[in-house]
Amino acid sequence: MQALRHCGACVSRAGFHSRTDFLHSEANMATIRRAAACLNLFRGASTSLCSNRKSVRPLLRAPAVARSEAAALSVGSGLCALPFAQQVENLSHESLIRRASCLVTDSANTYLSQTTLALVDALTCYSKALHTLIALQKRYLDSMGKLTPAEEDSIWQVIIGQRVEVSDRLVECKRFESNWMNAVKICELSAEAAYSSGAEHASVALKTSLQVAQSKVEEMRKIRLAAEKSLAETKADEIQRMAEYASSINLHDLEDIPEAYLRED
């Protein structure tokens, strides 16, 4: 600022002497040279001041940036430390085998559920078919000797069709029972493998499902055996009633008895 005031004073004196023929005065020429030197000094000072301001700003910002980068680094390292250790632990051989055994038990349980449902439905349909056949044969025995030949033939067509239905249902039961037995074996092996690998909960759950399935199938087997026993009793009653009916008619009347009725299953 002092340099500016000094330059201003020099310029003022130069302007004053210009009115009095300063071009021919050595003092005026010296004043002009001093004014030019002051202007050059002022320009250099302003340039250096501006450059210093630009260089100071990054220096002031540097600590803040450094602190933010350090904070980000510390936060990032904290977030990545625990998951990485957990991933390494989960990739151990024991953990992978335990997970695989759990998947096997889940698949075995699904296979057991499907085969059990199929077998139970097949046994139910077979038992119903047996009871239907028993009812038809009892109805025919009660109406023996009271039906016309056309009515008797019609009833026997229904009985023959029902016998075919019973045979088909029995074949279906055997097929689904084979699948169910395979499922039981797989579940037993899967439960043992899960227990040995450390998945005790999966092993216990599968054994529980296996017990429930076996109990349900055993219940339906009892119903099936009861129906088959009832059918055998009905056949025995047929033989006795047929003998009584044959003795009460003439020999030529035996030709009217349907051949399908005399045929054994």
Side-chain angles (χ1 to χ4, degrees):
M1 295 300 294
Q2 292 178 359
L4 293 176
R5 293 191 187 98
H6 183 66
C7 292
C10 294
V11 172
S12 298
R13 286 195 296 270
F16 174 76
H17 287 291
S18 62
R19 298 190 186 97
T20 59
D21 197 15
F22 67 91
L23 293 175
H24 296 90
S25 176
E26 295 179 355
N28 291 337
M29 296 300 294
T31 301
I32 292 173
R33 285 195 294 269
R34 285 196 298 271
C38 291
L39 290 175
N40 291 332
L41 180 62
F42 172 74
R43 290 176 181 175
S46 62
T47 303
S48 62
L49 180 61
C50 293
S51 62
N52 289 333
R53 288 180 180 178
K54 293 180 180 179
S55 62
V56 168
R57 291 178 181 176
L59 292 177
L60 294 176
R61 293 180 181 178
V65 173
R67 287 194 298 271
S68 63
E69 291 179 353
L73 180 60
S74 62
V75 173
S77 61
L79 292 175
C80 296
L82 291 178
F84 180 76
Q86 186 176 2
Q87 289 177 0
V88 172
E89 182 181 358
N90 291 337
L91 292 177
S92 63
H93 293 299
E94 291 79 5
S95 178
L96 293 176
I97 292 174
R98 185 164 54 252
R99 291 183 181 181
S101 64
C102 291
L103 293 176
V104 171
T105 54
D106 291 340
S107 300
N109 194 9
T110 302
Y111 184 43
L112 177 65
S113 300
Q114 295 299 325
T115 54
T116 301
L117 180 61
L119 180 57
V120 168
D121 288 343
L123 290 173
T124 301
C125 294
Y126 175 67
S127 300
K128 290 181 179 180
L130 286 175
H131 285 294
T132 302
L133 179 59
I134 292 170
L136 290 173
Q137 290 182 348
K138 286 182 176 181
R139 180 180 177 183
Y140 175 76
L141 291 176
D142 293 338
S143 62
M144 184 179 294
K146 302 177 183 179
L147 300 174
T148 63
E151 292 175 345
E152 192 171 350
D153 183 69
S154 177
I155 291 177
W156 272 105
Q157 290 298 326
V158 176
I159 292 176
I160 292 172
Q162 189 61 32
R163 285 179 176 176
V164 174
E165 178 71 15
V166 169
S167 179
D168 293 339
R169 294 297 182 181
L170 181 59
V171 172
E172 188 179 41
C173 286
K174 292 180 178 180
R175 183 175 71 253
F176 286 126
E177 188 172 8
S178 177
N179 293 331
W180 183 78
M181 292 300 297
N182 292 332
V184 170
K185 294 178 182 179
I186 292 175
C187 287
E188 291 175 350
L189 294 175
S190 300
E192 183 179 355
Y195 182 81
S196 62
S197 64
E200 292 85 0
H201 295 289
S203 178
V204 172
L206 185 57
K207 288 182 179 179
T208 302
S209 299
L210 183 59
Q211 292 176 356
V212 173
Q214 289 175 337
S215 177
K216 186 63 177 178
V217 170
E218 185 64 24
E219 180 182 354
M220 295 306 303
R221 283 176 174 173
K222 291 180 180 179
I223 296 175
R224 167 191 171 181
L225 291 175
E228 291 177 345
K229 183 179 179 180
S230 180
L231 180 62
E233 293 175 354
T234 302
K235 287 184 177 180
D237 191 18
E238 286 178 4
I239 294 173
Q240 182 179 358
R241 294 284 296 273
M242 192 62 193
E244 294 175 356
Y245 180 73
S247 62
S248 64
I249 60 176
N250 296 326
L251 185 60
H252 66 275
D253 293 334
L254 292 175
E255 298 177 356
D256 296 334
I257 299 177
E259 182 180 357
Y261 184 80
L262 299 176
R263 185 180 59 194
E264 296 182 359
D265 294 337

